[in-house]
Amino acid sequence: MIHKYQFKDLYIVMDINSGAIHVVSKIVYDILDYFNEHSKDEILDLFKRQYNADDILEALEEIRYLIDEGMLFTDDSQITTEMLEGRGSVIKAMCLHVAHDCNMTCKYCFGDKGAFEGVRSLLSLETGKKAIDFLLSHSGSRRNLEIDFFGGEPLMNFQVVKDLVSYGREAEKAYGKNIRFTITTNGLLLDEEKEDYINTNMDNVILSIDGRPEVNDNMRRTVNDKGTYDIIVKNYLRFAEKRKGTYYVRGTFTRDNLDFSEDVKHLAEIGFKNISVEPVVTDLSQRYALQEEDKDRILDEYDKLTDLYLDHAKEGKQFAFFHFNVDLNQGPCVYKRVAGCGAGTEYVAVSPEGDIYPCHQFVGNPDFQLGNLNDERFENKLYNEFNKAHIYNKEQCRDCWAKFYCSGGCHANAFHMNHDIKIPYQLGCELEKKRIECAVGIKAALSTENDE
């Protein structure tokens, strides 16, 4: 399977099963559509009015060389069912909800503004320790593990966060493990003392902000219905200046700001180097929900964002945009490319009450509760359902060129939009394919420019 498209003045061909990506000539680009179904003489006849015979023959030789080298029209016979579904239940990452409470009332919050459809609560130190013990004891031979402190707003329970980091650092020794701690925050409580601690102890930090002041304050407001931009941007810029490790400012675009490239531009120009602005996924009855009719506008906006990214790179002011980060050399392992984030198999979320779910977006839904930390024995009753929800068991994914890049999309988005984790969210698929094309095109454009 191949996917080919034009990116500005470049002709790009992606060999899906091998992962090889080629910038080719116009003649090779044109002939590829006919190569497998037509003989050499037929192709010479088809293109004789566009190209001379010697150029056609040279293009055919180039295509044949790439095929012989395993970089074009490859198959996926190396991927077996046993590889996909026989790995066993090993948990390597956890989203630990340290606060089911929040000091913001974001309109699009999938967590019921922090409450997750339940009683507002904070994680106790005792339950947090059980969560860490659970991860360590269910991680099999995996050495590197991850815990993301999540909410609600985790800084509302920051002493417990600090105590759990200390506990985790001691507990991991007996298992020979290494826990990477991350935290996601809305920034209202991010003072210098917390910044210093986070900078020292967190491997990654997600800072929530939607972009321009009016865009952010439209959605992200305090419990007293005040705008949050002026408070959080000051905190974030101070934090980013001191940050030694990885961080991202992470926003959401809705139907209210379909010109979201302007929000990325704003965040880049005020000083942030690592940016993510992602499409809202919510009930289509919501006024701000993205609709199918918005698709072309959004695709055009990604083109604008691509131009913005390239302009900044050429001016030496390059920033990282999360969805444009594509590893063209090796990338994730086959299992991850086929099965995605591992929700419900390798990844779980834990509520303040110790309830265990496939991921943070399923928390509070009793149909997706996998168990509780206090259970004598944990048996993931949904393991098989999630383990088999890979791209080869999703009808829309099997023949999709983007399948190894998006890994079948988000299970939670599929369920919330289609009530089935095996039916991907269609608009999300179209936007992801556009982002992949932009990301690969950017890499190709910058590489070509550097070679000149």
Side-chain angles (χ1 to χ4, degrees), residues 422-442:
K422 290 184 180 178
I423 304 178
Y425 168 43
Q426 191 59 42
L427 179 58
C429 291
E430 295 304 313
L431 302 188
E432 177 65 6
K433 286 189 279 190
K434 180 64 175 181
R435 291 192 294 259
I436 295 167
E437 288 187 339
C438 292
V440 171
I442 286 170

Side-chain angles (χ1 to χ4, degrees), residues 8 69 161 191-192 223 378 416:
K8 300 187 182 302
E69 291 297 310
V161 169
D191 56 29
E192 293 196 55
V223 293
F378 174 71
H416 291 137

Side-chain angles (χ1 to χ4, degrees), residues 137-195:
S137 63
H138 287 82
S139 58
S141 61
R142 291 297 298 244
R143 181 177 184 276
N144 294 312
L145 310 177
E146 183 168 323
I147 293 177
D148 179 25
F149 295 113
F150 198 72
E153 174 45 48
L155 297 191
M156 295 177 70
N157 197 15
F158 196 59
Q159 186 57 52
V160 166
V161 169
K162 293 194 293 184
D163 291 343
L164 289 176
V165 169
S166 297
Y167 179 80
R169 287 287 168 251
E170 286 300 314
E172 68 185 7
K173 295 176 183 177
Y175 289 84
K177 309 282 186 179
N178 176 61
I179 301 175
R180 294 179 72 255
F181 290 105
T182 72
I183 193 166
T184 300
T185 178
N186 66 30
L188 284 180
L189 299 176
L190 189 63
D191 56 29
E192 293 196 55
E193 181 180 351
K194 294 184 181 69
E195 288 171 10

Side-chain angles (χ1 to χ4, degrees), residues 33-101:
D33 288 336
Y34 302 87
F35 186 84
N36 286 328
E37 303 297 329
H38 294 78
S39 68
K40 178 176 70 174
D41 289 340
E42 287 173 333
I43 291 174
L44 282 165
D45 187 58
L46 282 168
F47 289 95
K48 64 185 179 182
R49 290 180 179 83
Q50 293 174 253
Y51 305 105
N52 67 57
D54 287 343
D55 289 340
I56 295 172
L57 291 173
E58 184 178 342
L60 289 171
E61 288 180 10
E62 181 178 341
I63 293 170
R64 174 52 57 190
Y65 171 80
L66 293 174
I67 293 173
D68 291 344
E69 291 297 310
M71 295 188 290
L72 200 62
F73 294 118
T74 56
D75 63 29
D76 57 356
S77 58
Q78 77 278 12
I79 300 176
T80 65
T81 301
E82 175 63 24
M83 181 188 299
L84 302 179
E85 300 175 10
R87 287 164 57 92
S89 181
V90 173
I91 299 172
K92 64 178 184 180
M94 173 182 289
C95 182
L96 186 54
H97 291 226
V98 293
H100 273 188
D101 200 355

Side-chain angles (χ1 to χ4, degrees), residues 41-312:
D41 289 340
E42 287 173 333
I43 291 174
L44 282 165
D45 187 58
L46 282 168
F47 289 95
K48 64 185 179 182
R49 290 180 179 83
Q50 293 174 253
Y51 305 105
N52 67 57
D54 287 343
D55 289 340
I56 295 172
L57 291 173
E58 184 178 342
L60 289 171
E61 288 180 10
E62 181 178 341
I63 293 170
R64 174 52 57 190
Y65 171 80
L66 293 174
I67 293 173
D68 291 344
E69 291 297 310
M71 295 188 290
L72 200 62
F73 294 118
T74 56
D75 63 29
D76 57 356
S77 58
Q78 77 278 12
I79 300 176
T80 65
T81 301
E82 175 63 24
M83 181 188 299
L84 302 179
E85 300 175 10
R87 287 164 57 92
S89 181
V90 173
I91 299 172
K92 64 178 184 180
M94 173 182 289
C95 182
L96 186 54
H97 291 226
V98 293
H100 273 188
D101 200 355
C102 194
N103 47 6
M104 282 192 191
T105 58
C106 304
K107 295 176 185 177
Y108 50 53
C109 180
F110 63 79
D112 188 29
K113 300 177 175 59
F116 286 83
E117 305 297 335
V119 177
R120 295 184 181 275
S121 58
L122 300 178
L123 180 78
S124 70
L125 179 58
E126 179 185 5
T127 301
K129 289 179 177 180
K130 289 181 180 178
I132 292 175
D133 292 340
F134 175 88
L135 177 61
L136 290 168
S137 63
H138 287 82
S139 58
S141 61
R142 291 297 298 244
R143 181 177 184 276
N144 294 312
L145 310 177
E146 183 168 323
I147 293 177
D148 179 25
F149 295 113
F150 198 72
E153 174 45 48
L155 297 191
M156 295 177 70
N157 197 15
F158 196 59
Q159 186 57 52
V160 166
V161 169
K162 293 194 293 184
D163 291 343
L164 289 176
V165 169
S166 297
Y167 179 80
R169 287 287 168 251
E170 286 300 314
E172 68 185 7
K173 295 176 183 177
Y175 289 84
K177 309 282 186 179
N178 176 61
I179 301 175
R180 294 179 72 255
F181 290 105
T182 72
I183 193 166
T184 300
T185 178
N186 66 30
L188 284 180
L189 299 176
L190 189 63
D191 56 29
E192 293 196 55
E193 181 180 351
K194 294 184 181 69
E195 288 171 10
D196 292 341
Y197 181 86
I198 290 171
N199 215 355
T200 302
N201 294 279
M202 300 295 165
D203 290 273
N204 191 20
V205 182
I206 306 299
L207 309 169
S208 299
I209 183 172
D210 280 353
R212 293 162 290 176
E214 64 276 13
V215 169
N216 181 84
D217 288 352
N218 176 46
M219 285 286 173
R220 305 183 63 80
R221 303 187 70 79
T222 69
V223 293
N224 297 321
D225 198 31
K226 304 291 185 182
T228 59
Y229 178 91
D230 288 341
I231 299 173
I232 63 174
V233 77
K234 176 182 65 177
N235 293 344
Y236 289 166
L237 287 170
R238 185 181 64 233
F239 176 83
E241 185 177 355
K242 295 189 290 185
R243 178 67 176 161
K244 296 181 178 65
T246 307
Y247 81 91
Y248 266 90
V249 287
R250 195 271 190 204
T252 300
F253 73 83
T254 71
R255 213 175 193 206
D256 290 344
N257 63 312
L258 293 176
D259 60 342
F260 58 89
S261 69
E262 293 297 323
D263 293 296
V264 176
K265 179 180 179 181
H266 172 77
L267 293 169
E269 291 186 346
I270 63 175
F272 296 114
K273 301 298 183 184
N274 304 290
I275 303 166
S276 176
V277 176
E278 306 184 17
V280 69
V281 179
T282 189
D283 191 307
L284 294 179
S285 65
Q286 296 288 350
R287 176 193 57 75
Y288 53 81
L290 301 177
Q291 305 292 336
E292 182 64 29
E293 64 200 67
D294 299 323
K295 183 180 73 173
D296 289 344
R297 170 75 186 277
I298 298 171
L299 298 183
D300 288 343
E301 200 64 21
Y302 279 119
D303 284 331
K304 292 181 182 178
L305 180 53
T306 298
D307 291 339
L308 174 72
Y309 187 97
L310 288 171
D311 288 344
H312 274 65

